[in-house]
Amino acid sequence: MKREPIQHHMDALIALLLFGVFAACVLAVLLTGADAYRRLTQRDQAAYERRACVQYVATKVRQADAEGAVSLAEIEGVPALALGRDGEFVTYIYCHGGWLRELFIWCEEPPAPQDGRELLPAQGLDLSLEDGLLTVRLSGARGDEDTLLLSLRGGEGAGS
């Protein structure tokens, strides 16, 4: 009769041990999944920032692409893309202080790099315009670089 209580305790102990192993496995799977999700989210955020900067510049250039409306400029030594159609207002797109910025001002007003609205994190913007081909090299916040080539329909050098 003394064997039955010992056997009963052993069954409970084995069941408790199996439950502990199961709980540890579930916790390990959850932690692995959470880490994978975190890495995927960071990768997607970085890809979004890269695409968003390049697509923003491309969209602004396409919107302003008219005869003489797209040109290169400098704002206190900072290279900038100047977009303007009507001769009264101009939009500058440039990088300053770790941000891609946009400044929309009256043509007669002198631009200052710190006045632009911060759009997206970016480290640098390199621009060239030759024979109607605009080349934009954008360095992202994480140091990655993207290149955008746009053939201008009506901007500086187009049609020649």
Side-chain angles (χ1 to χ4, degrees), residues 98-110:
W99 290 92
L100 180 68
R101 295 176 181 247
E102 179 184 67
L103 178 61
F104 179 74
I105 61 171
W106 183 48
C107 287
E108 302 298 320
E109 188 176 333

PDB file of all heavy atoms in Angstrom, residues 98-110:
ATOM      1  N   GLY A  98      21.247  66.491 -41.439  1.00  0.00           N
ATOM      2  CA  GLY A  98      20.772  65.117 -41.331  1.00  0.00           C
ATOM      3  C   GLY A  98      19.357  64.892 -41.818  1.00  0.00           C
ATOM      4  O   GLY A  98      18.767  63.847 -41.549  1.00  0.00           O
ATOM      5  N   TRP A  99      18.816  65.864 -42.554  1.00  0.00           N
ATOM      6  CA  TRP A  99      17.436  65.754 -43.051  1.00  0.00           C
ATOM      7  C   TRP A  99      17.355  66.157 -44.513  1.00  0.00           C
ATOM      8  O   TRP A  99      18.061  67.067 -44.947  1.00  0.00           O
ATOM      9  CB  TRP A  99      16.512  66.684 -42.253  1.00  0.00           C
ATOM     10  CG  TRP A  99      16.284  66.244 -40.864  1.00  0.00           C
ATOM     11  CD1 TRP A  99      17.015  66.613 -39.761  1.00  0.00           C
ATOM     12  CD2 TRP A  99      15.272  65.365 -40.387  1.00  0.00           C
ATOM     13  NE1 TRP A  99      16.515  66.006 -38.654  1.00  0.00           N
ATOM     14  CE2 TRP A  99      15.444  65.228 -39.000  1.00  0.00           C
ATOM     15  CE3 TRP A  99      14.250  64.664 -41.017  1.00  0.00           C
ATOM     16  CZ2 TRP A  99      14.630  64.427 -38.229  1.00  0.00           C
ATOM     17  CZ3 TRP A  99      13.423  63.873 -40.243  1.00  0.00           C
ATOM     18  CH2 TRP A  99      13.622  63.761 -38.874  1.00  0.00           C
ATOM     19  N   LEU A 100      16.481  65.487 -45.243  1.00  0.00           N
ATOM     20  CA  LEU A 100      16.072  65.970 -46.559  1.00  0.00           C
ATOM     21  C   LEU A 100      15.058  67.070 -46.273  1.00  0.00           C
ATOM     22  O   LEU A 100      14.107  66.865 -45.524  1.00  0.00           O
ATOM     23  CB  LEU A 100      15.436  64.856 -47.383  1.00  0.00           C
ATOM     24  CG  LEU A 100      14.980  65.250 -48.788  1.00  0.00           C
ATOM     25  CD1 LEU A 100      16.195  65.557 -49.663  1.00  0.00           C
ATOM     26  CD2 LEU A 100      14.158  64.146 -49.418  1.00  0.00           C
ATOM     27  N   ARG A 101      15.289  68.242 -46.840  1.00  0.00           N
ATOM     28  CA  ARG A 101      14.449  69.400 -46.532  1.00  0.00           C
ATOM     29  C   ARG A 101      13.839  69.995 -47.800  1.00  0.00           C
ATOM     30  O   ARG A 101      14.381  69.850 -48.887  1.00  0.00           O
ATOM     31  CB  ARG A 101      15.271  70.489 -45.829  1.00  0.00           C
ATOM     32  CG  ARG A 101      15.780  70.089 -44.481  1.00  0.00           C
ATOM     33  CD  ARG A 101      16.653  71.185 -43.906  1.00  0.00           C
ATOM     34  NE  ARG A 101      17.184  70.824 -42.632  1.00  0.00           N
ATOM     35  CZ  ARG A 101      16.861  71.413 -41.487  1.00  0.00           C
ATOM     36  NH1 ARG A 101      16.007  72.407 -41.475  1.00  0.00           N
ATOM     37  NH2 ARG A 101      17.399  71.021 -40.354  1.00  0.00           N
ATOM     38  N   GLU A 102      12.732  70.705 -47.580  1.00  0.00           N
ATOM     39  CA  GLU A 102      12.067  71.425 -48.659  1.00  0.00           C
ATOM     40  C   GLU A 102      11.821  72.852 -48.187  1.00  0.00           C
ATOM     41  O   GLU A 102      11.340  73.067 -47.075  1.00  0.00           O
ATOM     42  CB  GLU A 102      10.741  70.765 -49.007  1.00  0.00           C
ATOM     43  CG  GLU A 102       9.995  71.491 -50.101  1.00  0.00           C
ATOM     44  CD  GLU A 102       8.644  70.880 -50.365  1.00  0.00           C
ATOM     45  OE1 GLU A 102       7.775  70.969 -49.478  1.00  0.00           O
ATOM     46  OE2 GLU A 102       8.467  70.314 -51.445  1.00  0.00           O
ATOM     47  N   LEU A 103      12.171  73.794 -49.047  1.00  0.00           N
ATOM     48  CA  LEU A 103      11.965  75.207 -48.733  1.00  0.00           C
ATOM     49  C   LEU A 103      11.209  75.843 -49.893  1.00  0.00           C
ATOM     50  O   LEU A 103      11.672  75.847 -51.030  1.00  0.00           O
ATOM     51  CB  LEU A 103      13.317  75.903 -48.523  1.00  0.00           C
ATOM     52  CG  LEU A 103      13.295  77.394 -48.236  1.00  0.00           C
ATOM     53  CD1 LEU A 103      12.529  77.688 -46.948  1.00  0.00           C
ATOM     54  CD2 LEU A 103      14.705  77.931 -48.147  1.00  0.00           C
ATOM     55  N   PHE A 104      10.033  76.384 -49.604  1.00  0.00           N
ATOM     56  CA  PHE A 104       9.195  77.043 -50.602  1.00  0.00           C
ATOM     57  C   PHE A 104       9.180  78.528 -50.254  1.00  0.00           C
ATOM     58  O   PHE A 104       8.663  78.928 -49.202  1.00  0.00           O
ATOM     59  CB  PHE A 104       7.780  76.474 -50.564  1.00  0.00           C
ATOM     60  CG  PHE A 104       6.840  77.106 -51.541  1.00  0.00           C
ATOM     61  CD1 PHE A 104       6.927  76.822 -52.895  1.00  0.00           C
ATOM     62  CD2 PHE A 104       5.863  77.978 -51.104  1.00  0.00           C
ATOM     63  CE1 PHE A 104       6.067  77.403 -53.804  1.00  0.00           C
ATOM     64  CE2 PHE A 104       4.984  78.568 -52.000  1.00  0.00           C
ATOM     65  CZ  PHE A 104       5.090  78.279 -53.350  1.00  0.00           C
ATOM     66  N   ILE A 105       9.805  79.360 -51.110  1.00  0.00           N
ATOM     67  CA  ILE A 105       9.907  80.790 -50.805  1.00  0.00           C
ATOM     68  C   ILE A 105       9.698  81.625 -52.064  1.00  0.00           C
ATOM     69  O   ILE A 105       9.729  81.132 -53.189  1.00  0.00           O
ATOM     70  CB  ILE A 105      11.272  81.153 -50.171  1.00  0.00           C
ATOM     71  CG1 ILE A 105      12.415  80.828 -51.127  1.00  0.00           C
ATOM     72  CG2 ILE A 105      11.465  80.472 -48.853  1.00  0.00           C
ATOM     73  CD1 ILE A 105      13.753  81.367 -50.651  1.00  0.00           C
ATOM     74  N   TRP A 106       9.538  82.908 -51.825  1.00  0.00           N
ATOM     75  CA  TRP A 106       9.433  83.897 -52.894  1.00  0.00           C
ATOM     76  C   TRP A 106      10.806  84.031 -53.550  1.00  0.00           C
ATOM     77  O   TRP A 106      11.842  83.991 -52.879  1.00  0.00           O
ATOM     78  CB  TRP A 106       8.970  85.210 -52.276  1.00  0.00           C
ATOM     79  CG  TRP A 106       8.738  86.322 -53.241  1.00  0.00           C
ATOM     80  CD1 TRP A 106       8.039  86.264 -54.399  1.00  0.00           C
ATOM     81  CD2 TRP A 106       9.198  87.661 -53.113  1.00  0.00           C
ATOM     82  NE1 TRP A 106       8.018  87.482 -55.013  1.00  0.00           N
ATOM     83  CE2 TRP A 106       8.729  88.372 -54.244  1.00  0.00           C
ATOM     84  CE3 TRP A 106       9.933  88.348 -52.188  1.00  0.00           C
ATOM     85  CZ2 TRP A 106       8.991  89.704 -54.449  1.00  0.00           C
ATOM     86  CZ3 TRP A 106      10.198  89.685 -52.382  1.00  0.00           C
ATOM     87  CH2 TRP A 106       9.721  90.347 -53.507  1.00  0.00           C
ATOM     88  N   CYS A 107      10.859  84.199 -54.858  1.00  0.00           N
ATOM     89  CA  CYS A 107      12.116  84.228 -55.610  1.00  0.00           C
ATOM     90  C   CYS A 107      13.095  85.303 -55.136  1.00  0.00           C
ATOM     91  O   CYS A 107      14.299  85.113 -55.191  1.00  0.00           O
ATOM     92  CB  CYS A 107      11.832  84.444 -57.096  1.00  0.00           C
ATOM     93  SG  CYS A 107      11.135  83.022 -57.899  1.00  0.00           S
ATOM     94  N   GLU A 108      12.577  86.420 -54.685  1.00  0.00           N
ATOM     95  CA  GLU A 108      13.435  87.534 -54.289  1.00  0.00           C
ATOM     96  C   GLU A 108      14.007  87.371 -52.877  1.00  0.00           C
ATOM     97  O   GLU A 108      14.909  88.100 -52.492  1.00  0.00           O
ATOM     98  CB  GLU A 108      12.645  88.847 -54.362  1.00  0.00           C
ATOM     99  CG  GLU A 108      12.070  89.146 -55.728  1.00  0.00           C
ATOM    100  CD  GLU A 108      13.151  89.305 -56.794  1.00  0.00           C
ATOM    101  OE1 GLU A 108      14.200  89.905 -56.501  1.00  0.00           O
ATOM    102  OE2 GLU A 108      12.948  88.812 -57.907  1.00  0.00           O
ATOM    103  N   GLU A 109      13.498  86.448 -52.122  1.00  0.00           N
ATOM    104  CA  GLU A 109      13.954  86.249 -50.745  1.00  0.00           C
ATOM    105  C   GLU A 109      15.182  85.337 -50.735  1.00  0.00           C
ATOM    106  O   GLU A 109      15.181  84.292 -51.382  1.00  0.00           O
ATOM    107  CB  GLU A 109      12.830  85.620 -49.921  1.00  0.00           C
ATOM    108  CG  GLU A 109      13.128  85.538 -48.459  1.00  0.00           C
ATOM    109  CD  GLU A 109      11.934  85.000 -47.693  1.00  0.00           C
ATOM    110  OE1 GLU A 109      10.793  85.166 -48.160  1.00  0.00           O
ATOM    111  OE2 GLU A 109      12.147  84.396 -46.637  1.00  0.00           O
ATOM    112  N   PRO A 110      16.240  85.699 -49.994  1.00  0.00           N
ATOM    113  CA  PRO A 110      17.426  84.831 -49.946  1.00  0.00           C
ATOM    114  C   PRO A 110      17.140  83.581 -49.103  1.00  0.00           C
ATOM    115  O   PRO A 110      16.675  83.693 -47.970  1.00  0.00           O
ATOM    116  CB  PRO A 110      18.495  85.705 -49.279  1.00  0.00           C
ATOM    117  CG  PRO A 110      17.737  86.724 -48.514  1.00  0.00           C
ATOM    118  CD  PRO A 110      16.432  86.933 -49.230  1.00  0.00           C
TER     119      PRO A 110
END
